[in-house]
Amino acid sequence: MSNFTKNPDGGLPVVIPFDAALGAEISNISLSNPLSEDQFQVVEKAFVEHKVLVFRNQPLTDDQHLAFAARFGPLEGHINTPTRHKRLPDVQVFSNVKEDGSTTGYHPELGTYVWHTDKSYVAEPSLTTVLRSPAIASLGGDTLFANTQAAYEDLDPETRNKIAGLKAEHSWKRSREKVGEKPATLEQIAAAPPVQHPIVRTHPITGKKGIYVGSHASHIPSLEYDAGVKLLQQLEVHATKEKYIYRHKWQVNDVLMWDNRSTMHCVTPYDAAKEKRTVHRVVVKGDRPF
Ligand SMILES: [Fe+2]
């Protein structure tokens, strides 16, 4: 991958697709300055096509991070208040580093360890998530991304017919229970009551279909409970096979953004007692899945 991340001659950003089922690096760009319309168009096109974009060597402030994400649409906060940035409510900080520089000894959010698509437990889940990495683990703490459209295309006709028109219920409360995280508060449950989304999601720009499941999906209301849970698990196992995955090994000051309409992701384990890992997250509001 290129380390050439600046834009000295004013040329357009360069898109370098990864040798994987999804993802591309964008070089010849600095995200610390507002993007020109021409630069933005290159990035936006690559975002839909490659689904995960990686920008290396981008030492952004939180305000610059917010400004870049806001080019893609209105920002939204998160109901998980403990991770909220003290000054900037639209920034979430996931860190195992305390103010005195020592580690907390635990990963800040167990729900990120399992496959999911961001905020699928609300009616209009996030369009994109923009993450940056002030501190990384030397071993583990990778982020895995799965191309859920490629996974859908490989389904046999029988399975496609079976899941066409089915909806899953997505629930913040239930997803917390599944991973053993602190229970959802009454306030959080009121802010994010369960919602149903199609299991096959159509991308609003390309029209391509993808499998839309993940850990926030609890069951399928139109099926017997256990049968629905089993079907969701089967689809997730299929969609997260190695051939559909890009593994991101973080470097300090990476910026990543991904299309939640066509991907799932999760974080791999690391030693949270020894390794210091901090990511700052901003999400852009999305549309109702169809
Ligand atoms: Fe996530």
Side-chain angles (χ1 to χ4, degrees):
M1 285 179 222
S2 167
N3 286 319
F4 180 47
T5 55
K6 299 306 176 191
N7 192 15
D9 61 2
L12 290 175
V14 176
V15 181
I16 307 163
F18 296 143
D19 183 18
L22 70 168
E25 181 181 346
I26 307 294
S27 67
N28 198 37
I29 191 169
S30 170
L31 304 186
S32 56
N33 300 313
L35 302 190
S36 70
E37 189 55 33
D38 286 350
Q39 288 175 315
F40 177 71
Q41 284 183 12
V42 172
V43 173
E44 191 180 38
K45 182 170 179 288
F47 166 69
V48 172
E49 182 176 354
H50 299 289
K51 304 174 179 59
V52 178
L53 299 183
V54 176
F55 306 83
R56 297 285 194 187
N57 190 24
Q58 304 284 343
L60 303 185
T61 64
D62 285 309
D63 291 290
Q64 290 167 332
H65 185 178
L66 283 169
F68 172 66
R71 286 298 299 268
F72 296 87
L75 306 180
E76 56 183 358
H78 199 283
I79 59 175
N80 192 10
T81 50
T83 57
R84 204 173 278 171
H85 190 287
K86 288 188 176 67
R87 181 174 63 87
L88 301 164
D90 286 343
V91 176
Q92 265 184 291
V93 178
F94 291 100
S95 179
N96 69 333
V97 187
K98 295 192 282 194
E99 283 186 9
D100 66 5
S102 62
T103 63
T104 61
Y106 60 89
H107 179 59
E109 174 56 58
L110 294 175
T112 62
Y113 274 150
V114 291
W115 288 101
H116 64 283
T117 169
D118 284 333
K119 296 184 75 170
S120 67
Y121 50 81
V122 299
E124 296 180 332
S126 310
L127 165 73
T128 181
T129 307
V130 183
L131 219 60
R132 67 185 187 90
S133 55
I136 62 164
S138 62
L139 187 65
D142 302 339
T143 303
L144 308 181
F145 294 93
N147 182 339
T148 55
Q149 291 178 345
Y152 176 79
E153 286 163 15
D154 287 347
L155 287 176
D156 58 75
E158 186 186 340
T159 305
R160 286 194 193 189
N161 284 337
K162 183 177 175 184
I163 64 176
L166 283 184
K167 288 188 172 184
E169 183 166 300
H170 295 242
S171 162
W172 168 256
K173 177 176 180 288
R174 180 68 191 127
S175 80
R176 306 283 288 176
E177 292 167 355
K178 282 159 71 175
V179 296
E181 251 302 351
K182 288 183 280 295
T185 64
L186 292 176
E187 186 183 14
Q188 290 172 345
I189 294 169
V195 63
Q196 292 183 22
H197 294 307
I199 289 173
V200 180
R201 184 174 186 177
T202 303
H203 197 285
I205 295 176
T206 64
K208 288 186 177 176
K209 292 179 176 178
I211 296 170
Y212 194 65
V213 292
S215 68
H216 301 314
S218 64
H219 64 287
I220 300 173
S222 63
L223 299 184
E224 189 272 325
Y225 189 90
D226 289 344
V229 169
K230 186 178 176 189
L231 178 57
L232 291 172
Q233 287 173 340
Q234 289 171 335
L235 290 168
E236 182 179 311
V237 167
H238 165 72
T240 56
K241 287 177 184 160
E242 191 68 32
K243 60 182 173 179
Y244 304 125
I245 288 177
Y246 161 65
R247 174 185 288 264
H248 185 69
K249 289 188 174 293
W250 289 91
Q251 296 176 9
V252 171
N253 292 328
D254 281 347
V255 172
L256 255 69
M257 65 182 298
W258 59 87
D259 191 339
N260 283 304
R261 301 166 296 189
S262 54
T263 61
M264 286 193 289
H265 61 277
C266 66
V267 179
T268 66
Y270 61 98
D271 187 341
K274 291 180 181 169
E275 300 265 20
K276 295 177 183 177
R277 185 179 190 275
T278 301
V279 296
H280 289 213
R281 181 176 111 137
V282 176
V283 291
V284 176
K285 197 169 180 352
D287 300 325
R288 182 157 203 136
F290 61 90

